[in-house]
Amino acid sequence: MDSEYIRKHLGKCLAEGLAEVAEQRPFNPVLCLAHWLLKHNTNVQEEKGKKAQLALLEKEQAKAREEELKASEALEEAKKVTDTVTERQAVEEASSVLTETLTETLTETLSTDLGGEATETPVDRSKVESRSDQAEEEAKEEPRDNDEEEKAEETSTNQAEEEHKEEVMRLYGQITSKLFLSVYLDGLYHMKR
């Protein structure tokens, strides 16, 4: 029974103390073992404190690593956003340059195809109305006897309108193809990124 008590309460402590004495081989081993036993409880408490501090330090280091990882991810995301914004600005600039080029080309094409009149001139409605009134009065004053003249005039007007429609459709086709090309190139640019 006494041996069990000693084994239960002093076994580990006494074995560690004896191992320490055997390792150091002091001049007075009994006195050394007595000092070691007196300091044992203090040493155990200090070791527990060190282990707790070490565990806390490891937790703090893990938190610091996580925060550093999050910060680096946020930095990478900010870089991606900046790159995306820069790319969009470049595309917008290229688009505006392309639009300006298309507009200039269209203006030049229209001016050469329409005989130098690239822009529409505003029409004064009162002049148009007075001209149409004059035409009506002339028509009333001079009745036409010949239906053939009217048909010839109508045919020439229809031909001129058809030619004008064809010219407009041709220009529209050119504009559409150039716009399609710009949209297609813009899409290819974004696909590469």
Side-chain angles (χ1 to χ4, degrees), residues 82-99:
T82 304
D83 291 345
T84 304
V85 167
T86 306
E87 287 176 7
R88 284 186 182 171
Q89 287 174 347
V91 167
E92 287 175 2
E93 288 175 9
S95 247
S96 65
V97 168
L98 184 59
T99 304

mmCIF file of all heavy atoms in Angstrom, residues 82-99:
data_model
loop_
_atom_site.group_PDB
_atom_site.id
_atom_site.type_symbol
_atom_site.label_atom_id
_atom_site.label_comp_id
_atom_site.label_asym_id
_atom_site.label_seq_id
_atom_site.Cartn_x
_atom_site.Cartn_y
_atom_site.Cartn_z
ATOM 1 N N THR A 82 -7.778 46.685 -61.286
ATOM 2 C CA THR A 82 -7.049 47.766 -61.940
ATOM 3 C C THR A 82 -6.720 47.402 -63.375
ATOM 4 O O THR A 82 -6.884 48.221 -64.289
ATOM 5 C CB THR A 82 -5.746 48.063 -61.163
ATOM 6 O OG1 THR A 82 -6.067 48.353 -59.802
ATOM 7 C CG2 THR A 82 -5.004 49.228 -61.763
ATOM 8 N N ASP A 83 -6.266 46.157 -63.582
ATOM 9 C CA ASP A 83 -5.969 45.703 -64.945
ATOM 10 C C ASP A 83 -7.221 45.717 -65.815
ATOM 11 O O ASP A 83 -7.184 46.132 -66.970
ATOM 12 C CB ASP A 83 -5.359 44.296 -64.928
ATOM 13 C CG ASP A 83 -3.952 44.267 -64.337
ATOM 14 O OD1 ASP A 83 -3.349 45.356 -64.219
ATOM 15 O OD2 ASP A 83 -3.474 43.170 -63.999
ATOM 16 N N THR A 84 -8.337 45.260 -65.244
ATOM 17 C CA THR A 84 -9.596 45.236 -65.987
ATOM 18 C C THR A 84 -10.024 46.653 -66.354
ATOM 19 O O THR A 84 -10.433 46.905 -67.490
ATOM 20 C CB THR A 84 -10.701 44.554 -65.159
ATOM 21 O OG1 THR A 84 -10.270 43.246 -64.794
ATOM 22 C CG2 THR A 84 -11.990 44.465 -65.939
ATOM 23 N N VAL A 85 -9.908 47.565 -65.391
ATOM 24 C CA VAL A 85 -10.277 48.960 -65.663
ATOM 25 C C VAL A 85 -9.362 49.539 -66.735
ATOM 26 O O VAL A 85 -9.820 50.215 -67.660
ATOM 27 C CB VAL A 85 -10.211 49.801 -64.362
ATOM 28 C CG1 VAL A 85 -10.279 51.272 -64.655
ATOM 29 C CG2 VAL A 85 -11.335 49.396 -63.423
ATOM 30 N N THR A 86 -8.083 49.240 -66.640
ATOM 31 C CA THR A 86 -7.130 49.728 -67.639
ATOM 32 C C THR A 86 -7.455 49.157 -69.015
ATOM 33 O O THR A 86 -7.427 49.884 -70.007
ATOM 34 C CB THR A 86 -5.693 49.334 -67.241
ATOM 35 O OG1 THR A 86 -5.436 49.796 -65.909
ATOM 36 C CG2 THR A 86 -4.678 49.926 -68.182
ATOM 37 N N GLU A 87 -7.773 47.855 -69.052
ATOM 38 C CA GLU A 87 -8.135 47.234 -70.327
ATOM 39 C C GLU A 87 -9.398 47.862 -70.898
ATOM 40 O O GLU A 87 -9.477 48.140 -72.090
ATOM 41 C CB GLU A 87 -8.356 45.731 -70.140
ATOM 42 C CG GLU A 87 -7.086 44.961 -69.920
ATOM 43 C CD GLU A 87 -7.357 43.499 -69.634
ATOM 44 O OE1 GLU A 87 -8.522 43.058 -69.733
ATOM 45 O OE2 GLU A 87 -6.394 42.793 -69.295
ATOM 46 N N ARG A 88 -10.380 48.085 -70.026
ATOM 47 C CA ARG A 88 -11.628 48.697 -70.497
ATOM 48 C C ARG A 88 -11.376 50.097 -71.040
ATOM 49 O O ARG A 88 -11.951 50.490 -72.049
ATOM 50 C CB ARG A 88 -12.659 48.746 -69.379
ATOM 51 C CG ARG A 88 -13.287 47.411 -69.100
ATOM 52 C CD ARG A 88 -14.382 47.503 -68.103
ATOM 53 N NE ARG A 88 -14.923 46.180 -67.817
ATOM 54 C CZ ARG A 88 -15.782 45.931 -66.868
ATOM 55 N NH1 ARG A 88 -16.206 46.903 -66.107
ATOM 56 N NH2 ARG A 88 -16.214 44.719 -66.666
ATOM 57 N N GLN A 89 -10.528 50.847 -70.337
ATOM 58 C CA GLN A 89 -10.209 52.195 -70.821
ATOM 59 C C GLN A 89 -9.519 52.121 -72.180
ATOM 60 O O GLN A 89 -9.815 52.914 -73.069
ATOM 61 C CB GLN A 89 -9.316 52.929 -69.816
ATOM 62 C CG GLN A 89 -10.038 53.359 -68.567
ATOM 63 C CD GLN A 89 -9.115 53.957 -67.533
ATOM 64 O OE1 GLN A 89 -7.901 53.850 -67.628
ATOM 65 N NE2 GLN A 89 -9.690 54.597 -66.520
ATOM 66 N N ALA A 90 -8.608 51.152 -72.315
ATOM 67 C CA ALA A 90 -7.916 50.996 -73.596
ATOM 68 C C ALA A 90 -8.903 50.625 -74.694
ATOM 69 O O ALA A 90 -8.840 51.149 -75.809
ATOM 70 C CB ALA A 90 -6.820 49.933 -73.485
ATOM 71 N N VAL A 91 -9.831 49.727 -74.366
ATOM 72 C CA VAL A 91 -10.831 49.321 -75.359
ATOM 73 C C VAL A 91 -11.733 50.502 -75.706
ATOM 74 O O VAL A 91 -12.074 50.718 -76.868
ATOM 75 C CB VAL A 91 -11.665 48.123 -74.829
ATOM 76 C CG1 VAL A 91 -12.887 47.888 -75.682
ATOM 77 C CG2 VAL A 91 -10.805 46.880 -74.781
ATOM 78 N N GLU A 92 -12.134 51.273 -74.678
ATOM 79 C CA GLU A 92 -12.982 52.436 -74.936
ATOM 80 C C GLU A 92 -12.245 53.459 -75.798
ATOM 81 O O GLU A 92 -12.837 54.050 -76.705
ATOM 82 C CB GLU A 92 -13.423 53.073 -73.613
ATOM 83 C CG GLU A 92 -14.461 52.250 -72.875
ATOM 84 C CD GLU A 92 -14.800 52.818 -71.514
ATOM 85 O OE1 GLU A 92 -14.253 53.889 -71.139
ATOM 86 O OE2 GLU A 92 -15.620 52.192 -70.813
ATOM 87 N N GLU A 93 -10.960 53.660 -75.508
ATOM 88 C CA GLU A 93 -10.186 54.588 -76.323
ATOM 89 C C GLU A 93 -10.076 54.082 -77.758
ATOM 90 O O GLU A 93 -10.259 54.841 -78.711
ATOM 91 C CB GLU A 93 -8.787 54.777 -75.726
ATOM 92 C CG GLU A 93 -8.774 55.591 -74.452
ATOM 93 C CD GLU A 93 -7.395 55.666 -73.814
ATOM 94 O OE1 GLU A 93 -6.407 55.225 -74.450
ATOM 95 O OE2 GLU A 93 -7.309 56.147 -72.687
ATOM 96 N N ALA A 94 -9.797 52.781 -77.894
ATOM 97 C CA ALA A 94 -9.702 52.204 -79.231
ATOM 98 C C ALA A 94 -11.050 52.293 -79.936
ATOM 99 O O ALA A 94 -11.124 52.588 -81.132
ATOM 100 C CB ALA A 94 -9.245 50.750 -79.152
ATOM 101 N N SER A 95 -12.118 52.059 -79.187
ATOM 102 C CA SER A 95 -13.468 52.160 -79.753
ATOM 103 C C SER A 95 -13.760 53.572 -80.214
ATOM 104 O O SER A 95 -14.310 53.777 -81.294
ATOM 105 C CB SER A 95 -14.484 51.790 -78.685
ATOM 106 O OG SER A 95 -15.153 50.669 -78.929
ATOM 107 N N SER A 96 -13.390 54.554 -79.373
ATOM 108 C CA SER A 96 -13.656 55.942 -79.758
ATOM 109 C C SER A 96 -12.817 56.336 -80.970
ATOM 110 O O SER A 96 -13.308 57.016 -81.875
ATOM 111 C CB SER A 96 -13.385 56.893 -78.585
ATOM 112 O OG SER A 96 -12.022 56.883 -78.247
ATOM 113 N N VAL A 97 -11.568 55.871 -81.012
ATOM 114 C CA VAL A 97 -10.729 56.170 -82.181
ATOM 115 C C VAL A 97 -11.317 55.504 -83.415
ATOM 116 O O VAL A 97 -11.399 56.111 -84.487
ATOM 117 C CB VAL A 97 -9.274 55.675 -81.935
ATOM 118 C CG1 VAL A 97 -8.466 55.691 -83.214
ATOM 119 C CG2 VAL A 97 -8.603 56.539 -80.872
ATOM 120 N N LEU A 98 -11.762 54.245 -83.252
ATOM 121 C CA LEU A 98 -12.366 53.533 -84.374
ATOM 122 C C LEU A 98 -13.655 54.222 -84.814
ATOM 123 O O LEU A 98 -13.907 54.376 -86.005
ATOM 124 C CB LEU A 98 -12.650 52.085 -83.981
ATOM 125 C CG LEU A 98 -13.200 51.184 -85.072
ATOM 126 C CD1 LEU A 98 -12.221 51.122 -86.239
ATOM 127 C CD2 LEU A 98 -13.465 49.806 -84.536
ATOM 128 N N THR A 99 -14.457 54.672 -83.856
ATOM 129 C CA THR A 99 -15.692 55.374 -84.180
ATOM 130 C C THR A 99 -15.392 56.669 -84.914
ATOM 131 O O THR A 99 -16.054 56.997 -85.909
ATOM 132 C CB THR A 99 -16.491 55.668 -82.896
ATOM 133 O OG1 THR A 99 -16.724 54.435 -82.217
ATOM 134 C CG2 THR A 99 -17.811 56.333 -83.215
#
